[in-house]
Amino acid sequence: MAVSVAEDQVADRIAERGDLAGPPEVDITGFPFLTQAVAGRYDEVRIALTAADLGQPEGTDADVALRGVEVPLSDVLSGSVQQVPVERVDGTATLSYALLSAQLGGDTRLEREGDGLRITRTVDLLGQQVPLTASGDVTLDGSDLVLDVQQAAGAGVDLPGFVVDRATDLLDLRYTVPPLPFGLQLTRVRPADDGVVVDVEATGTVIGG
């Protein structure tokens, strides 16, 4: 019961002061719980954030861990938690391939290919609808996720070099990741099976401060 009360209090405060659309799913980990509760400091609080929680497009979600979370037991029991100081926050945000494919439009399909991405899309080249297949690397440029296509080829079509270059440009993508809560900054990006995963972190966060 005590764990549930603490989780609800933290979830409500995070939603209210963290500019979230609703209370996220919160899991207070660590053992023993009672020792942490009495001390008013929790080693780790895990939070699962959906696109709705984040107020971001469908296909976006995040899993973060709040480490060194200070929530006095008296405030939890009285329902008067005003601030949640957090020593460090880290985790991941995932952008689904469906979300990123929609940015390029048409019948674009993105999927993981080793350490990079494979892109398929039908484009209009020289008045013809040409199905293209390409590979590319995904990197971060500040808050932008950048897909840089290295090579493209027309399926069953022999294309001049300048046309291939034009086709490659059509498949490049720059997607600005909307601001994330808790002052989270993007630090690294990598392809995964279900989408592009971005590592995020922040230090010295005060939720509700």
Side-chain angles (χ1 to χ4, degrees), residues 64-162:
V64 298
L66 280 59
R67 306 182 190 280
V69 181
E70 297 181 15
V71 187
L73 181 59
S74 58
D75 290 352
V76 171
L77 296 177
S78 64
S80 60
V81 176
Q82 295 301 312
Q83 294 184 341
V84 182
V86 181
E87 187 175 293
R88 182 166 60 92
V89 186
D90 58 55
T92 59
T94 301
L95 308 173
S96 73
Y97 290 130
L99 169 66
L100 297 176
S101 295
Q103 308 306 308
L104 287 170
D107 60 352
T108 302
R109 180 180 177 185
L110 293 173
E111 58 187 339
R112 180 181 182 179
E113 185 175 65
D115 293 330
L117 295 179
R118 179 183 179 87
I119 310 101
T120 56
R121 182 188 177 192
T122 301
V123 299
D124 189 338
L125 291 175
L126 303 179
Q128 298 185 56
Q129 294 295 304
V130 179
L132 294 177
T133 299
S135 60
D137 296 324
V138 59
T139 58
L140 281 177
D141 181 14
S143 61
D144 289 352
L145 185 152
V146 180
L147 172 59
D148 184 19
V149 174
Q150 304 299 321
Q151 56 182 350
V157 181
D158 187 13
L159 298 174
F162 76 92

